[in-house]
Amino acid sequence: AGQSLALVGLSGSGKTTIVKLLMRFYDPTEGSILINGIDLRDYQARSVRALMGVVLQDVALFNDSIGENIAFARPGANQESVREAARTAHAEEFILKLDQQYDTKVGERGIKLSGGEKQRIAISRAVLKNPDLIILDEATSALDSESEELVQQGLERLMHKRTSVVIAHRLSTVMGAHLILVMQNGEVVEQGTHASLVEKKGGLYARLFSLQTQGRHLAMAS
């Protein structure tokens, strides 16, 4: 409880499959997933999902106001609770600049908002839900650097003192995780902290981190 687990690896390595198993979109055909020592299949799927807050790369927004989109996480929430969630997620700063603020319609699938704005709405939802477990699936991978920084600040507030499972392509975002699992072809091939994995000679994590670090240095140089 209260710790962060990161899942990293190349595309198709099985990271999202683990999240789908956690949320009981399907059950394992071998082995088991335990929550406090009890098989996940002994819980109702609805009760398990009620404890989870999920922020995905592709945010599902419906064509209604920003306030209603946030409140979707907790039907019946009052306006001040919605605003507090938006403030925690660093969303209110852009919401208050809009002509109709919280009453602004977002358009079909949130077409009137930028990627970073949609992500901050998704984080606001998760904050409002106040879940025990946070699942983040590539939540910042499609954002520019400025938007990523704002979203990352919101995510850090959301994850504070909560258990979190984070899928990340950019390894710089998971360096502080309590445990990192490195996946390849559906298997966990390495595990440890960032400090231990980056020092592992010939390791997959060390290679990926080196490639990403070199890429950033080249981009800054150009």
Side-chain angles (χ1 to χ4, degrees):
Q3 293 198 337
S4 55
L5 169 71
L7 304 174
V8 304
L10 299 172
S11 297
S13 60
K15 304 183 298 293
T16 299
T17 298
I18 287 184
V19 168
K20 289 178 178 177
L21 287 166
L22 282 176
M23 298 185 70
R24 285 204 70 189
F25 289 151
Y26 39 73
D27 288 325
T29 53
E30 293 181 44
S32 59
I33 300 171
L34 306 180
I35 298 181
N36 294 331
I38 300 173
D39 195 304
L40 186 65
R41 287 167 287 199
D42 292 338
Y43 294 91
Q44 288 187 340
R46 177 182 289 184
S47 65
V48 172
R49 292 173 191 161
L51 300 175
M52 298 179 177
V54 184
V55 181
L56 306 176
Q57 179 179 342
D58 186 20
V59 181
L61 300 181
F62 50 92
N63 191 11
D64 206 326
S65 68
I66 286 176
E68 289 297 329
N69 268 282
I70 296 173
F72 179 73
R74 201 177 84 205
N78 61 42
Q79 191 172 29
E80 183 50 40
S81 296
V82 169
R83 283 175 167 268
E84 181 59 35
R87 284 192 285 270
T88 301
H90 279 282
E92 190 170 71
E93 55 196 67
F94 85 80
I95 294 172
L96 295 182
K97 293 177 183 177
L98 301 172
D99 290 341
Q100 294 180 284
Q101 299 186 352
Y102 283 87
D103 293 324
T104 302
K105 294 287 194 290
V106 303
E108 201 66 44
R109 295 185 62 81
I111 195 170
K112 295 181 180 179
L113 302 178
S114 71
E117 290 167 348
K118 287 192 286 187
Q119 288 296 64
R120 282 182 274 173
I121 295 300
I123 297 167
S124 302
R125 274 183 181 169
V127 171
L128 185 64
K129 187 174 183 181
N130 193 25
D132 293 328
L133 173 65
I134 302 295
I135 297 175
L136 309 176
D137 189 351
E138 301 277 17
T140 64
S141 63
L143 305 180
D144 58 69
S145 297
E146 184 177 355
S147 296
E148 181 184 12
E149 184 176 350
L150 289 169
V151 169
Q152 197 64 42
Q153 290 173 9
L155 290 175
E156 286 170 5
R157 290 187 182 185
L158 172 63
M159 293 162 63
H160 183 60
K161 293 186 178 180
R162 290 189 174 96
T163 306
S164 56
V165 176
V166 183
I167 294 177
H169 173 67
R170 297 178 188 173
L171 302 185
S172 59
T173 63
V174 299
M175 290 168 60
H178 292 92
L179 178 64
I180 299 171
L181 301 184
V182 185
M183 300 193 65
Q184 187 174 40
N185 299 325
E187 296 183 355
V188 176
V189 294
E190 297 170 22
Q191 59 180 296
T193 62
H194 168 78
S196 65
L197 290 170
V198 81
E199 293 296 328
K200 187 176 180 180
K201 290 186 177 180
L204 177 58
Y205 183 90
R207 181 163 59 85
L208 292 174
F209 187 75
S210 176
L211 287 170
Q212 290 191 13
T213 304
Q214 288 175 7
R216 284 198 300 276
H217 289 164
L218 286 172
M220 292 172 66
S222 62

